[in-house]
Amino acid sequence: MRRAWIVSVALATALLGACTDPSSGPEAGPPPAAAPEPSATTHQRPPAASVPPDPSAPAVDPPVVLYLGDSLAMENQKVLGAELRGRLRARYTSVPYSGTTLCDYLEGSAERSLVPPADKAAALVRRLRPDFVVLQFWGNAWGYTPCMEGLTYDGAPARYLERYAADARRLTEQIRSAGGSRGPRIVWVLQGPDPVTPERVRRVNELYERRADGSGELVADAGRTVSPEGARYTWAQYLPCDAHERAHPGHCTDPGRDRTALHRDDDPLHFCLAPTTSTPRPCPVSSPGILRIARAITRVIGEQVRGG
């Protein structure tokens, strides 16, 4: 039993290193001059057939959407862009950096932050004037990003959560200030189950929900779409196919058993079904977990754009 637990933790640690930068271990930050490459951003038009426009949908003004986050956002970014453009005609920009957490996007953060000054959240808001800023952060808990100053959930859970809450408050304040009197709506993406420490993700999600409660911020519970029904924080590699997956050939990966794969056998954290590479990239293959997450985010923004 103890051996199995140690192996599980070691595997998760290695995968989180891959999540941040697969060529490095999770505890060793990158050299000061080396920052992960951001996504190839913005306005890259997906194939027209990827998300056909809904002719019955009411006409709405296209929203401007900015998507920030860590390696989960890195792998999701093209699929989310296709959903937002296809369903809402959104003008969309994605600037994720693998291995980051909230403090990396703060203006005035440490010199060794993984996000350069031009891509800090407030700088992007001033430049792009988005209507929505979508924040998807798993909550880097392994001490990879230098701006966390070595603070980890495993080492000091109370201090980690206290610091994380403070960074969430500062980040939202900076985004609102940068947006002026008609600043953007912030969308916090709730995360799926953590295969090693499920309680950590539950508490990070609760923190996001408290931020949104009564503040005008929004929550997209994308994590629920990749969790078993009735077991929100129980990790699963496979789930029953949903109606969308059954209706679209190839989206349900194991139709004979009416189940679809969310994770690879060798990666319980990410949702991309292609192997992790040493260079962070958008997911290059169809992956049901990523589409479920993107559709959940798009649904929340669509409800706001359409007024309900």
Side-chain angles (χ1 to χ4, degrees):
M1 177 75 72
R2 177 173 174 80
R3 176 179 171 80
W5 181 86
I6 291 172
V7 169
S8 297
V9 172
L11 173 61
T13 304
L15 289 167
L16 288 169
C19 160
T20 56
D21 178 350
S23 65
S24 306
E27 295 297 330
E37 290 295 321
S39 67
T41 61
T42 78
H43 315 301
Q44 190 175 27
R45 193 172 295 276
S50 60
V51 183
D54 181 358
S56 66
V60 296
D61 291 333
V64 180
V65 181
L66 173 61
Y67 184 40
L68 307 178
D70 53 23
S71 64
L72 295 179
M74 175 67 75
E75 67 181 9
N76 293 348
Q77 61 185 306
K78 285 192 174 180
V79 176
L80 178 59
E83 289 292 315
L84 288 168
R85 292 186 185 102
R87 299 185 186 282
L88 303 175
R89 298 181 297 125
R91 291 164 50 201
Y92 169 76
T93 301
S94 57
V95 192
Y97 281 82
S98 292
T100 56
T101 192
L102 300 176
C103 58
D104 286 291
Y105 282 89
L106 286 169
E107 289 191 322
S109 57
E111 288 183 5
R112 294 187 66 211
S113 165
L114 301 182
V115 176
D119 288 344
K120 300 296 188 184
L124 291 167
V125 168
R126 285 191 291 268
R127 186 162 77 244
L128 300 170
R129 296 296 174 187
D131 300 304
F132 298 90
V133 177
V134 180
L135 301 174
Q136 180 160 11
F137 290 91
W138 179 85
N140 190 302
W142 298 83
Y144 179 79
T145 179
C147 72
M148 285 297 284
E149 301 172 312
L151 186 59
T152 65
Y153 180 81
D154 184 57
R159 287 180 55 219
Y160 163 88
L161 291 165
E162 186 177 299
R163 164 68 186 277
Y164 204 76
D167 287 343
R169 182 178 63 254
R170 287 182 61 202
L171 187 60
T172 54
E173 288 171 352
Q174 288 188 2
I175 289 171
R176 285 182 179 144
S177 178
S181 59
R182 298 189 60 173
R185 301 289 299 277
I186 294 168
V187 182
W188 293 100
V189 180
L190 303 189
Q191 300 304 299
D194 181 335
V196 178
T197 52
E199 184 61 20
R200 186 198 64 80
V201 160
R202 183 198 304 271
R203 297 185 70 179
V204 167
N205 283 348
E206 288 172 352
L207 184 155
Y208 293 156
E209 290 177 299
R210 287 196 299 272
R211 286 296 316 160
D213 187 25
S215 69
E217 298 168 18
L218 303 168
V219 165
D221 193 358
R224 185 174 296 279
T225 70
V226 291
S227 304
E229 186 171 355
R232 174 63 178 82
Y233 289 100
T234 299
W235 183 87
Q237 184 175 3
Y238 299 90
L239 286 181
C241 298
D242 63 21
H244 177 87
E245 290 156 358
R246 295 185 189 104
H248 293 79
H251 286 224
C252 181
T253 63
D254 189 0
R257 288 190 277 184
D258 191 35
R259 70 175 193 173
T260 201
L262 301 180
H263 305 279
R264 289 172 53 84
D265 292 343
D266 58 356
D267 187 344
L269 175 61
H270 295 93
F271 295 93
C272 183
L273 297 183
T276 302
T277 63
S278 60
T279 301
R281 61 176 179 171
C283 186
V285 301
S286 176
S287 299
I290 288 177
L291 182 58
R292 289 183 180 208
I293 290 168
R295 286 169 61 86
I297 296 169
T298 302
R299 186 162 49 248
V300 168
I301 294 175
E303 289 169 356
Q304 297 300 310
V305 170
R306 296 183 176 119

